[in-house]
Amino acid sequence: MYLCRHGEAMAQGPTDAERALTERGRLEVMALWQTLSEEGVRIDRLIASPYRRAQQTALCIARVYGGMEQEACGYLVPEAHPEQLLDWLIRQPEGDNLLLVSHMPLVSLLTGIWTGDPASRPGFRVGAVAALEVEVAAAGGARLRWLRAPGEG
C-alpha cells in the first residue's frame, strides 16, 4: 500500500478544490515515480482525492505506469477523517496493491493512526510517498516501510 501527497500546487485557485499542479509539481511527481517504478514499485489500483491537484498527480503517476486507470474517492479530501477512510478500505478487495493520492493533513494523520502512533504524524512534503506494510485497515494495523519525497535519493 502506498500513500502519496499531491505534487506542488498553485497557491491560489477559484476554490481550494480547483487548485492545479504547477509544472514543477508535475515534473517532480513524474521523476519520483519513474524512479520508484524502476526500483520495482508496482501498483494495481490508483485512487485519488477528487480535488484537481490530486487528480493531476494521479494522472502523472498513471502515465509512468503506461496509462493505468484512476479512481476518485471522497474519503481522500484534506478534511476527511482517517477513520472513515480506514472503514472504506476494509470494504475494498483484498490483494490489491493500492496507491492513495491525498492531501495534508490527512496523509500525516492517517499514517500516524495506521501505524499505531497517532502523535507521530510524519511530515509529507509535496509529492512525498509512504510505503506501508498493511495487515489490516485499522488503527495500529500497518508499519511504515519508507517515506520518500521528490529530489531524495
Side-chain angles (χ1 to χ4, degrees):
M1 166 83 64
Y2 300 95
L3 183 59
C4 179
R5 182 180 178 194
H6 64 79
E8 180 184 86
M10 302 282 188
Q12 303 223 332
T15 67
D16 184 47
E18 295 176 61
R19 287 177 39 221
L21 287 185
T22 62
E23 185 61 24
R24 175 181 167 171
R26 283 187 187 88
L27 294 173
E28 286 180 344
V29 166
M30 290 190 75
L32 175 59
W33 281 94
Q34 185 62 49
T35 300
L36 292 173
S37 174
E38 291 167 2
E39 292 173 358
V41 169
R42 297 290 168 252
I43 51 178
D44 299 318
R45 284 178 69 195
L46 178 52
I47 305 168
S49 156
Y51 283 26
R52 184 173 184 191
R53 59 193 178 274
Q55 288 289 309
Q56 290 175 325
T57 298
L59 182 59
C60 291
I61 297 165
R63 286 184 177 145
V64 169
Y65 286 91
M68 70 183 303
E69 289 186 32
Q70 62 191 70
E71 305 168 44
C73 175
Y75 295 117
L76 291 169
V77 297
E79 64 277 1
H81 297 282
E83 296 81 8
Q84 290 177 321
L85 177 59
L86 290 172
D87 288 345
W88 178 81
L89 283 169
I90 286 173
R91 298 188 304 271
Q92 299 308 299
E94 284 191 43
D96 282 345
N97 202 11
L98 299 179
L99 167 58
L100 306 176
V101 181
S102 187
H103 312 263
M104 284 293 276
L106 182 63
V107 289
S108 182
L109 290 168
L110 180 63
T111 302
I113 290 168
W114 217 343
T115 58
D117 189 5
S120 73
R121 297 182 61 175
F124 276 75
R125 292 183 13 220
V126 288
V129 60
L132 298 163
E133 187 175 304
V134 178
E135 290 183 31
V136 64
R143 182 177 67 83
L144 180 62
R145 291 179 32 224
W146 49 259
L147 176 64
R148 285 183 46 193
E152 295 179 353

